[in-house]
């Protein structure tokens, strides 16, 4: 039962306003705690993603530059492949390191924060919430349920009287 339904039930009692206020602040505290936990989760993945992105960029750049040197060498076309690779061992080693990085799954560590944020947003959409890239929660307006004669709010559809006037 949400705080909106309880506030409607407590309207005639003497403690209705204080109950509404305490329920509102309780829900607000829950949202703040949830937002803080989301920030903790995503903050932990970003430094690792930056390190992996930097490592992948450096190794890829080194492999690319040594590949250009290897291909521009005039002896590459005349010698066998194994001899050519042994002559240009910088290219060979950087190629092996790049292959090992991809085999260990560095590409998934690089894109992990984006995948996590998209999954969080898809789950939060069910609760009329969203979040930005800094994981601050964004409250979306509540959905209205269309009725026979007009549009009823969530309260009217769930537990209210259905009066639209």
């Amino acid at each position: 039962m949400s705080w909106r339904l309880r506030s409607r039930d407590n309207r005639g009692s003497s403690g209705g306003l204080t109950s509404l206020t305490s329920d509102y602040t309780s829900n607000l505290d829950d949202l703040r705690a949830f937002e803080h936990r989301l920030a903790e989760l995503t903050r932990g993945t970003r430094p690792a993603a930056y390190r992996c992105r930097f490592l992948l960029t450096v190794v890829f750049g080194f492999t690319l530059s040594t590949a250009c040197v290897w291909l521009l060498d005039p002896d590459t076309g005349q010698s066998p492949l194994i001899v050519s690779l042994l002559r240009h061992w910088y290219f060979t080693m950087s190629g092996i390191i790049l292959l090992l990085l991809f085999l260990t799954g560095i590409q998934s560590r690089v894109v992990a924060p984006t995948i996590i944020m998209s999954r969080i947003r898809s789950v939060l959409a069910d609760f009329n919430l969203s979040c930005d890239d800094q994981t601050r929660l964004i409250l979306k307006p509540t959905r209205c349920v269309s009725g026979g004669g007009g549009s009823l709010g969530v309260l009217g559809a769930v537990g209210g009287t259905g009066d639209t006037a």
Side-chain angles (χ1 to χ4, degrees):
M1 184 188 274
S2 72
W3 66 273
R4 291 181 186 139
L5 292 176
R6 279 185 277 191
S7 68
R8 188 173 186 92
D9 294 339
N10 291 335
R11 191 176 301 179
S13 66
S14 62
L17 185 58
T18 57
S19 174
L20 173 66
T21 308
S22 66
D23 289 343
Y24 178 74
T25 56
S26 173
N27 287 339
L28 198 59
D29 290 340
D30 290 343
L31 282 175
R32 284 186 185 138
F34 182 67
E35 183 179 58
H36 181 69
R37 182 65 181 137
L38 280 179
E40 284 178 6
L41 289 173
T42 57
R43 216 177 294 129
T45 60
R46 287 186 185 140
Y50 289 140
R51 283 191 301 267
C52 290
R53 189 175 294 143
F54 176 74
L55 179 65
L56 189 62
T57 303
V58 167
V59 172
F60 181 75
F62 192 73
T63 304
L64 188 65
S65 63
T66 56
C68 290
V69 171
W70 178 58
L71 291 174
L72 293 176
D73 185 18
D75 294 336
T76 300
Q78 281 77 26
S79 61
L81 179 65
I82 301 295
V83 174
S84 178
L85 288 176
L86 289 176
R87 247 188 237 151
H88 298 278
W89 61 275
Y90 287 123
F91 169 69
T92 306
M93 294 309 293
S94 64
I96 289 172
I97 291 171
L98 187 64
L99 182 67
L100 287 175
L101 285 175
F102 278 113
L103 288 176
T104 57
I106 195 168
Q107 72 278 7
S108 63
R109 292 185 195 127
V110 168
V111 296
T114 346
I115 294 171
I116 290 171
M117 287 305 294
S118 68
R119 289 181 181 169
I120 286 173
R121 285 186 184 114
S122 68
V123 169
L124 288 176
D126 294 338
F127 299 100
N128 289 335
L129 294 170
S130 183
C131 65
D132 58 3
D133 289 333
Q134 287 77 30
T135 63
R136 284 179 285 192
L137 286 178
I138 300 167
L139 298 172
K140 294 181 179 178
T142 57
R143 299 181 198 144
C144 290
V145 179
S146 296
S151 107
L152 299 175
V154 175
L155 284 177
V158 174
T161 60
D163 296 333
T164 57

